[in-house]
Amino acid sequence: MIRDYSVYELSLKEKLFFFCAGYAAIAAAVYLFYNSAALSLVSGILVVRLIPYVKRRMAARRMDVLKEQFKDMLYSLSASVASGRQMGEALIEAEEDLSSMYDKDDLIMRELRHMKVSMIQNKESDKALLKDFAARSKNDDINDFVNVYVICRSMGGDLEKIISHTTEILTDKMSIEREIRAITAQKKTEGRIISAMPFLMLLMLNIFSYSYIEPLYTTLAGRLLMTAALAAAAFGIYLMEKISDVRI
């Protein structure tokens, strides 16, 4: 069970992959701008500064996956409650319903399995388990659903009607968010292509017209210009990622 979905710990395999890929990318970029193997090899160590960024991106991706899987869980809960089941029974049935859609190691299946075991063996309440799930998920939609359910249980409202209405609202909201992500994904791809253009142009010049840019590698003024160009390119990549990182 994941204690906090907003915190991602890289596995050894992931650490090796990102370190090797990041080291190679940074070393290649530095060599392209300075034409120095020694500086390139040393600069590749800067990849360690990117590990926190990678963790944040992986955590955000995992939270998006959880939210999509939670939508299917909502449909199952709504149908079970509408047929007269209590929430605890609906959660147990949800694991069975979703087993045909997800593997046992998928996020939502692990959460439902944990709830099932806790309710049957440890006699924990469904309300406490859902509140714990919402707190760990760090997701507004999950928190909203659980809060509505808790209030409904406390106030004695029409559980079937309220959960059905809440499910409809949340699934509509998730569908809109998915459409927005699909629209921005294309722009993000275009931005990354544009960010790669300076590196590609410099690579082409090195291959086909090295004599034209040789002074940039052999003179002090050229080195300073290359440093400024590399800094500008790196800042452009950072800015593009910040602008295109739409969090809904």
Side-chain angles (χ1 to χ4, degrees):
M1 184 179 63
I2 297 173
R3 297 308 309 170
D4 188 340
Y5 279 89
S6 64
V7 177
Y8 191 94
E9 292 299 329
L10 296 173
S11 65
L12 179 59
K13 183 178 179 180
E14 289 172 330
K15 287 179 180 178
L16 290 174
F17 173 77
F18 286 118
F19 182 84
C20 293
Y23 183 92
I26 293 174
V30 171
Y31 184 81
L32 197 58
F33 277 82
Y34 292 100
N35 200 18
S36 170
L39 182 60
S40 173
L41 293 174
V42 172
S43 299
I45 302 298
L46 291 174
V47 69
V48 298
R49 300 292 299 273
L50 297 178
I51 296 299
Y53 169 77
V54 171
K55 287 183 177 181
R56 289 194 299 270
R57 291 300 297 268
M58 295 295 288
R61 185 179 300 177
R62 182 175 62 185
M63 291 167 71
D64 287 340
V65 170
L66 178 66
K67 184 164 63 174
E68 286 297 317
Q69 295 178 357
F70 176 72
K71 183 179 69 173
D72 294 321
M73 172 181 159
L74 281 180
Y75 285 127
S76 177
L77 293 179
S78 180
S80 295
V81 171
S83 65
R85 302 287 194 276
Q86 295 297 318
M87 180 58 76
E89 296 172 326
L91 288 169
I92 294 174
E93 286 190 354
E95 185 193 11
E96 298 175 2
D97 292 342
L98 299 182
S99 62
S100 61
M101 299 175 58
Y102 298 109
D103 294 330
K104 64 178 183 178
D105 292 328
D106 282 328
L107 299 175
I108 201 65
M109 297 302 293
R110 291 164 62 183
E111 290 293 342
L112 287 170
R113 188 163 56 249
H114 166 69
M115 293 181 195
K116 177 181 177 180
V117 171
S118 297
M119 285 187 290
I120 294 176
Q121 297 183 1
N122 303 331
K123 306 302 180 183
E124 295 186 43
S125 69
D126 53 9
K127 186 167 66 173
L129 290 169
L130 284 172
K131 288 173 69 175
D132 175 67
F133 173 47
R136 291 184 292 104
S137 71
K138 299 296 188 295
N139 182 271
D140 291 338
D141 294 329
I142 298 177
N143 271 287
D144 290 343
F145 174 79
V146 173
N147 288 334
V148 168
Y149 170 64
V150 171
I151 293 172
C152 180
R153 279 278 301 270
S154 301
M155 303 297 291
D158 187 342
L159 184 61
E160 176 187 343
K161 185 176 181 180
I162 291 175
I163 288 182
S164 176
H165 184 60
T166 304
T167 299
E168 182 180 352
I169 293 174
L170 291 179
T171 51
D172 286 345
K173 178 175 178 284
M174 291 178 188
S175 297
I176 294 172
E177 291 174 353
R178 187 168 58 251
E179 291 177 6
I180 293 174
R181 284 197 298 269
I183 293 172
T184 57
Q186 181 180 356
K187 297 301 180 182
K188 182 178 291 189
T189 301
E190 293 174 358
R192 288 173 177 170
I193 292 174
I194 293 173
S195 298
M197 290 305 294
F199 299 93
L200 294 176
M201 291 178 62
L202 187 57
L203 177 62
M204 297 299 290
L205 287 171
N206 270 273
I207 294 174
F208 297 107
S209 186
Y210 179 77
S211 60
Y212 180 75
I213 61 171
E214 185 177 6
L216 294 174
Y217 295 114
T218 57
T219 65
L220 178 60
R223 295 285 188 179
L224 293 175
L225 284 173
M226 280 300 205
T227 301
L230 180 58
F235 179 72
I237 294 173
Y238 167 79
L239 196 60
M240 185 278 299
E241 290 293 331
K242 291 290 288 185
I243 292 174
S244 61
D245 188 20
V246 179
R247 305 304 303 172
I248 306 168

